[in-house]
Amino acid sequence: MTPAFAAPPHGRAFGLRLDTLIRLRWLAVSGQIAALVVVNLGLGFPLPLSTCLGVVILSAAVNVLLRLKYPVARRLGDAAAGPLLAYDVLQLTALLYLTGGLKNPFVLLYLAPVMISATTLAWSTTVLLGILAVTCAGAVGLWALPLPWAGGDVPVLPELYLAGIWVSLSVSVGFIGLHAWRVAEEARELADALAATELVLAREQHLSAIDGLAAAAAHELGTPLSTIALVVKEMQRSLGDTGPYAEDVALLRDQVSRCRDILQKLTSLRSGDAPFDRMPLNLLLEEVVEPHRNFGITIAVSVKEGQDAPIIARNPGLLYGLGNLVENAVDFATSRVDIRAEWSPSVLEIVVTDDGPGFAPEVSGRIGQPYVTSRARDREEPDEESGLGLGFFIAKTLLERTGASVTFENRFPPATGAVIRLAWPRPARAIEVDTDATKGRGSDYSTAKEA
């Protein structure tokens, strides 16, 4: 009754709400008091009323303590709800011991805690509660005070009949508990599926909003970027090709041109107007890598040799997603980035590895979510921009749209660096072009390469 009350059950979409358990116990307390009063005062049956009321009052005291000490809106995990339901089983056992044991018709109330557990808690907890209920029922069948009855003619039930009641109760606990748990588990699975669907829809809406912002940013940045390009051109003309700042101005002009290309790519992610709509995997990877080769980092591309090399649909989202991952690897790498592509009849896999510091432990489990970044820890200057943390999110979502599964991890020690794995199911033809459809048409990429 400690940590499990402080937080909802970890990793479960459902749990037993404390307020629900308290209300159900108040209902049980009210029913038990009413039954004792009616049997003792209404029907005149003799029973140990004070002892029975003491057992009931103990349950009421537990309820009051729970209400005062813990927030009632909390959902209890198995570690907290299980013992509370076990207490209800033991409390019912005490009352049945005082009032006839298995001869008492209220012995069927053993089903209540098991049913509650089956619909809200794990199967293991339900099994343990069921075993406890069946064991307690057997105990009060063997040892119990006489059944309260008026007069001297107390009914005597055969031992075989009492054993039958115990067997019937045991079967009911097992069958009804299993049935209730199975129905509740299906409801939980459906709720989990709906929650996952809502999460995917929310991510798609988020990405669509970012797409709109990217288009707006590209439009707004177009004018100042043109002004910068014009100023740089005039500076280059004034300084000439041999001045002390000629190389810096030339580099600045190249970067302005690259900014233009990036903005144009952002505005054409959905246009599908690439000049060549298919190319071999190795050429596509070279196209992705080429803009990042002039930064002092060695980029090694390794593509498996074979006759069944994939022909890839040149999707703008695929190019942008791969390019973003390569750019991040180059930014963090110390000296080298490796890109390896392999395939089998069932899977196409691309692995991007760098030798940098790897993903920060505090964000390694959340990479790919929006606004999650670890760039700030690698910045030497505290005032330097660290980014919004949208790069991985956008790249991951765009690649998942093509059917890829994306995983982020660090290299095994003592090696350092990050590893990003992309895997596409080849039978689904998520990004590959059917090679049979390209036969007899000529090769666009071969023509482009010759040109």
Side-chain angles (χ1 to χ4, degrees), residues 103-115:
K103 300 174 185 178
N104 192 320
F106 288 103
V107 71
L108 292 177
L109 290 176
Y110 273 123
L111 293 174
V114 179
M115 286 287 294

Side-chain angles (χ1 to χ4, degrees), residues 251-269:
L251 178 61
L252 185 59
R253 187 171 184 178
D254 290 341
Q255 293 303 307
V256 169
S257 177
R258 187 183 173 203
C259 287
R260 280 182 167 176
D261 293 339
I262 292 174
L263 292 180
Q264 184 177 4
K265 187 185 296 185
L266 287 176
T267 57
S268 63
L269 280 178

Side-chain angles (χ1 to χ4, degrees), residues 56-67:
V56 176
I57 291 173
L58 180 61
S59 287
V62 171
N63 251 12
V64 172
L65 179 64
L66 292 175
R67 176 73 72 174

Side-chain angles (χ1 to χ4, degrees), residues 34-57:
L36 292 173
V37 170
V38 169
V39 169
N40 185 252
L41 301 181
L43 300 179
F45 290 0
L47 52 82
L49 184 61
S50 58
T51 306
C52 292
L53 288 177
V55 173
V56 176
I57 291 173

Side-chain angles (χ1 to χ4, degrees), residues 275-284 287 309-312 314 433 435 438-439 441-451:
F276 312 109
D277 58 355
R278 64 188 63 83
M279 62 173 55
L281 178 59
N282 59 332
L283 293 184
L284 183 135
E287 178 182 351
I311 304 300
I312 305 299
R314 196 174 180 278
V433 177
T435 54
T438 64
K439 292 179 179 179
R441 292 180 50 188
S443 177
D444 294 337
Y445 51 82
S446 297
T447 304
K449 188 175 181 182
E450 293 171 2

Side-chain angles (χ1 to χ4, degrees), residues 58-283:
L58 180 61
S59 287
V62 171
N63 251 12
V64 172
L65 179 64
L66 292 175
R67 176 73 72 174
L68 294 177
K69 191 171 182 180
Y70 301 106
V72 294
R74 294 288 185 182
R75 288 190 176 273
L76 307 180
D78 292 8
L84 290 178
L85 291 174
Y87 165 79
D88 291 332
V89 172
L90 296 175
Q91 190 255 6
L92 177 62
T93 301
L95 285 177
L96 291 175
Y97 170 79
L98 296 171
T99 56
L102 284 182
K103 300 174 185 178
N104 192 320
F106 288 103
V107 71
L108 292 177
L109 290 176
Y110 273 123
L111 293 174
V114 179
M115 286 287 294
I116 294 173
S117 175
T119 54
T120 57
L121 303 179
W123 174 241
S124 57
T125 303
T126 303
V127 170
L128 292 176
L129 274 175
I131 293 174
L132 177 63
V134 170
T135 303
C136 290
V140 295
L142 296 175
W143 304 285
L145 298 181
L147 179 70
W149 202 262
D153 191 12
V154 179
V156 178
L157 298 178
E159 296 293 331
L160 183 61
Y161 181 78
L162 294 178
I165 293 178
W166 180 80
V167 172
S168 174
L169 182 64
S170 302
V171 172
S172 299
V173 166
F175 178 78
I176 296 177
L178 176 62
H179 183 74
W181 180 84
R182 184 64 257 174
V183 172
E185 186 66 15
E186 291 177 358
R188 284 191 282 265
E189 291 174 355
L190 178 60
D192 290 342
L194 292 175
T197 302
E198 291 176 356
L199 178 61
V200 171
L201 290 176
R203 289 183 59 190
E204 291 294 331
Q205 291 174 357
H206 199 164
L207 185 66
S208 297
I210 293 176
D211 286 346
L213 290 174
H219 176 73
E220 294 294 330
L221 291 173
T223 299
L225 194 60
S226 298
T227 303
I228 294 173
L230 180 61
V231 172
V232 170
K233 184 177 180 181
E234 292 297 328
M235 289 175 62
Q236 191 175 31
R237 183 181 302 172
S238 300
L239 295 173
D241 297 333
T242 59
Y245 302 106
E247 292 184 3
D248 295 335
V249 174
L251 178 61
L252 185 59
R253 187 171 184 178
D254 290 341
Q255 293 303 307
V256 169
S257 177
R258 187 183 173 203
C259 287
R260 280 182 167 176
D261 293 339
I262 292 174
L263 292 180
Q264 184 177 4
K265 187 185 296 185
L266 287 176
T267 57
S268 63
L269 280 178
R270 296 182 180 179
S271 62
D273 57 353
F276 312 109
D277 58 355
R278 64 188 63 83
M279 62 173 55
L281 178 59
N282 59 332
L283 293 184

